[in-house]
Amino acid sequence: MQTITTAHPEGPPNTGGPIDWFQKFMAMIAVINLLLVGFDSSYITLRDIYFHQIPPVVIAYDKIKGIEPHPETEKYLQTLQQLTLELQQPPNSLETPQVENLLESLRHESDRMLNENPFMAAGKFGTFAKIQRRMRQHLGTEYAYDAFQTFWTSSYLSSHNLSRELNFFQSQISPLIARNYFRNVDEIGQVIDDFWRIDIFFMCLFGLEFILRTFFMHRRISGLRWIDAMLRRWYDVLLFLPFWRGLRVIPVAVRLQQSELVNFDRILVQMTHEPAARLADRLSRFVMVRFINQAQDSIREGTAAESFLNPQPAVDLNNVNEIEVITDRLLELTIYKVLPQIKPELEAVLHHSIEGAFKESGIYQSLKSLPGIGNLPSDFTEQMASNLAQTTVTVLETSYADVEGRVLFDRLSQEFNQAFRKALGDRQTQEEIQILLTDFLEELKLNYVVKSTHTDPEATLAEIETLYQPKEQSSLPSL
């Protein structure tokens, strides 16, 4: 008998051993790498938040992204800082030559900033527009150029509260200007992004793990080539690709599920509920119609009758004729289990048959008219029916258990099969049966397949989930 063995493609289930802990460790490393990828991908978008809330992050990570302060806006802020320091020196007046020179520089730099828009390279059009809007509103002018030119004059600052005006600019305008930056480019014109210097360690680790994991899988599973093992773990390749890093969420989710750190079963069931219901309903109807059509074609072409009447040798996995074994088992159950239980009913049938035969004979009428023995025919038929039923059961049990009787049973079965096949070989009988079977299958297709389109597949899927729900709640860890 041929034995077919299977092995889990990923090895034995988690049992808390070294393999289990290694899978959990690698899953956590993959999560850390995915978080770093997400941080890097969103850094440019969220840099303004980091700039104000977590300045050390910006100072450290700007180097990775090739970000430097923009020279024009940085010079603008430095000039403003010089003006603030100069105003803090005695005589704290706006009329000194140094202050006038600084105000003139600020007016000139404001003009150049508005004309050249240094915020364009960083894509901060909103920030640039916000600076202009705030200055126009504060000065009450129509144009931002007039607002800047007026604001950086000694006459305006002296006629207004100097501290309040400088505080307005430093709190409302300077932070917006400080957000601007300049990003360096490499020799081929691409912006510098050195995230690979961090990611290379993870890529090498996952690449080495991929090679070792697939190699041991190939050695563990008989007949599995190394390239086939790599194809089975195709999603792990996403962990060490230097591009499309966002797709690493796929292998990370798989690893978390396999290591049992997180259970995504409930999430996946809910996310795929309606599509799965529709697809399963459509697929089941397709399979049923396909099966019925193939059966009809086989019946019309006569291949079904030919296979039944003249069976061809088929693939045998265990050198056992399963049909004969099943038939023998059913016959054994009938003789030893079924017939003893239906013995009273069998007696009643035999009694009825024998009594009917006697009533139709003249001997029964003669015996019935004789005094003293009028009930003899009835008693005789009842006793005879009981003896026949008991004898039938006993004979069948004895014959089936006896070696010679078993041979007779097998010969009877073979002769019956041959006679039955010969009877079915009649052309007219075959045509009649083919028409009946074809019509039956067509009715099945119309009555059940078409009718199934009126049922709600989601209700069926919900019923299936209800059947599995108690088991899932008792065996699966919650999310």
Side-chain angles (χ1 to χ4, degrees):
M1 178 175 180
Q2 181 179 356
T3 303
I4 300 176
T5 59
T6 59
H8 194 280
E10 305 302 330
N14 293 339
T15 58
I19 296 179
D20 181 22
W21 285 108
F22 177 75
Q23 289 183 348
K24 286 182 168 57
F25 173 75
M26 293 305 298
M28 293 304 300
I29 295 296
V31 170
I32 294 173
N33 178 242
L34 183 62
L35 292 176
L36 288 174
V37 169
F39 171 78
D40 178 77
S41 301
S42 62
Y43 179 77
I44 298 299
T45 304
L46 303 178
R47 182 181 179 276
D48 291 345
I49 298 177
Y50 300 142
F51 183 83
H52 292 288
Q53 303 296 330
I54 321 176
V57 172
V58 174
I59 296 174
Y61 210 75
D62 274 357
K63 300 176 181 178
I64 301 295
K65 307 301 284 187
I67 294 176
E68 297 178 356
H70 198 283
E72 292 187 17
T73 51
E74 184 69 12
K75 185 175 183 301
Y76 194 101
L77 295 175
Q78 291 176 358
T79 305
L80 175 61
Q81 185 179 10
Q82 292 177 7
L83 175 63
T84 303
L85 294 175
E86 189 65 31
L87 290 174
Q88 293 175 356
Q89 301 296 326
N92 306 107
S93 173
L94 292 169
E95 304 299 333
T96 61
Q98 293 82 357
V99 172
E100 287 292 345
N101 290 334
L102 291 173
L103 291 174
E104 183 178 358
S105 297
L106 287 171
R107 290 194 299 270
H108 177 70
E109 292 175 12
S110 299
D111 181 32
R112 186 168 59 181
M113 181 177 66
L114 294 173
N115 289 328
E116 297 181 1
N117 187 9
F119 296 85
M120 181 181 298
K124 295 187 171 299
F125 303 99
T127 302
F128 186 56
K130 186 181 293 186
I131 292 173
Q132 298 180 70
R133 184 177 66 254
R134 288 183 179 181
M135 288 297 295
R136 290 197 309 267
Q137 292 175 352
H138 185 72
L139 274 295
T141 60
E142 185 177 358
Y143 300 103
Y145 174 81
D146 297 336
F148 275 98
Q149 295 300 315
T150 302
F151 187 86
W152 295 122
T153 58
S154 58
S155 58
Y156 174 81
L157 294 175
S158 61
S159 61
H160 295 74
N161 189 310
L162 177 61
S163 300
R164 186 182 62 189
E165 293 299 317
L166 291 179
N167 182 64
F168 158 77
F169 198 92
Q170 291 175 347
S171 62
Q172 300 296 320
I173 306 300
S174 293
L176 298 178
I177 297 177
R179 292 181 184 179
N180 192 34
Y181 59 83
F182 174 77
R183 196 169 182 186
N184 294 302
V185 297
D186 55 20
E187 293 80 3
I188 61 175
Q190 299 293 327
V191 292
I192 291 179
D193 188 349
D194 289 337
F195 177 69
W196 65 270
R197 297 182 183 274
I198 300 175
D199 197 39
I200 189 66
F201 299 103
F202 294 95
M203 293 168 58
C204 292
L205 175 63
F206 290 124
L208 178 62
E209 185 220 14
F210 177 77
I211 294 174
L212 295 177
R213 181 191 289 268
T214 54
F215 176 75
F216 287 119
M217 185 189 301
H218 146 70
R219 295 292 300 273
R220 185 174 63 252
I221 303 177
S222 177
L224 181 68
R225 297 184 302 171
W226 195 358
I227 185 65
D228 294 332
M230 291 183 178
L231 291 175
R232 289 190 182 186
R233 300 286 303 189
W234 64 269
Y235 47 85
D236 281 341
V237 177
L238 300 174
L239 287 172
F240 52 86
L241 286 181
F243 46 85
W244 299 339
R245 294 189 177 102
L247 294 178
R248 295 183 186 181
V249 66
I250 298 175
V252 170
V254 172
R255 285 169 177 265
L256 288 175
Q257 178 74 11
Q258 290 178 346
S259 63
E260 298 182 356
L261 288 173
V262 179
N263 180 19
F264 291 109
D265 287 344
R266 185 174 182 83
I267 297 176
L268 293 175
V269 166
Q270 300 304 322
M271 290 178 60
T272 61
H273 181 81
E274 183 175 354
R278 302 294 176 183
L279 180 61
D281 179 65
R282 194 173 185 85
L283 183 61
S284 62
R285 281 188 276 124
F286 172 80
V287 172
M288 185 176 293
V289 172
R290 181 73 178 271
F291 171 77
I292 292 175
N293 289 340
Q294 289 181 345
Q296 287 178 324
D297 293 339
S298 179
I299 292 172
R300 292 192 189 98
E301 296 170 0
T303 55
E306 182 67 22
S307 299
F308 180 77
L309 296 175
N310 300 305
Q312 300 296 325
V315 177
D316 191 359
L317 296 178
N318 50 16
N319 296 324
V320 174
N321 190 327
E322 287 79 6
I323 301 298
E324 292 182 359
V325 173
I326 293 173
T327 303
D328 182 70
R329 180 59 176 161
L330 292 177
L331 188 60
E332 180 181 352
L333 291 175
T334 302
I335 293 174
Y336 290 106
K337 300 293 184 182
V338 178
L339 287 179
Q341 294 184 10
I342 65 171
K343 181 180 175 183
E345 288 74 13
L346 182 61
E347 291 179 0
V349 172
L350 292 174
H351 180 273
H352 176 74
S353 301
I354 295 173
E355 185 178 8
F358 267 103
K359 286 182 179 179
E360 294 178 357
S361 65
I363 299 175
Y364 175 80
Q365 299 297 333
S366 301
L367 292 175
K368 187 177 181 180
S369 61
L370 294 176
I373 57 174
N375 295 327
L376 180 61
S378 298
D379 296 339
F380 175 74
T381 55
E382 183 176 352
Q383 183 64 32
M384 186 176 181
S386 177
N387 290 337
L388 282 175
Q390 180 62 40
T391 302
T392 301
V393 173
T394 303
V395 168
L396 288 174
E397 291 179 353
T398 305
S399 300
Y400 190 78
D402 182 65
V403 176
E404 185 176 354
R406 184 64 176 271
V407 172
L408 294 176
F409 266 107
D410 293 339
R411 185 182 302 170
L412 175 63
S413 176
Q414 294 176 1
E415 292 296 331
F416 175 81
N417 288 334
Q418 293 178 1
F420 186 71
R421 294 176 188 274
K422 184 177 180 181
L424 288 179
D426 181 65
R427 184 66 180 176
Q428 183 177 357
T429 304
Q430 287 187 23
E431 292 178 354
E432 183 179 357
I433 293 177
Q434 287 175 1
I435 294 174
L436 292 174
L437 287 176
T438 303
D439 293 343
F440 170 74
L441 291 174
E442 190 66 26
E443 292 175 358
L444 180 67
K445 182 169 36 176
L446 294 175
N447 290 321
Y448 293 95
V449 178
V450 175
K451 184 179 178 181
S452 66
T453 60
H454 302 292
T455 60
D456 185 6
E458 291 191 50
T460 305
L461 187 59
E463 183 178 356
I464 295 174
E465 292 175 358
T466 303
L467 295 176
Y468 284 97
Q469 188 174 4
K471 181 180 179 180
E472 291 176 352
Q473 289 179 348
S474 60
S475 62
L476 293 179
S478 60
L479 182 63

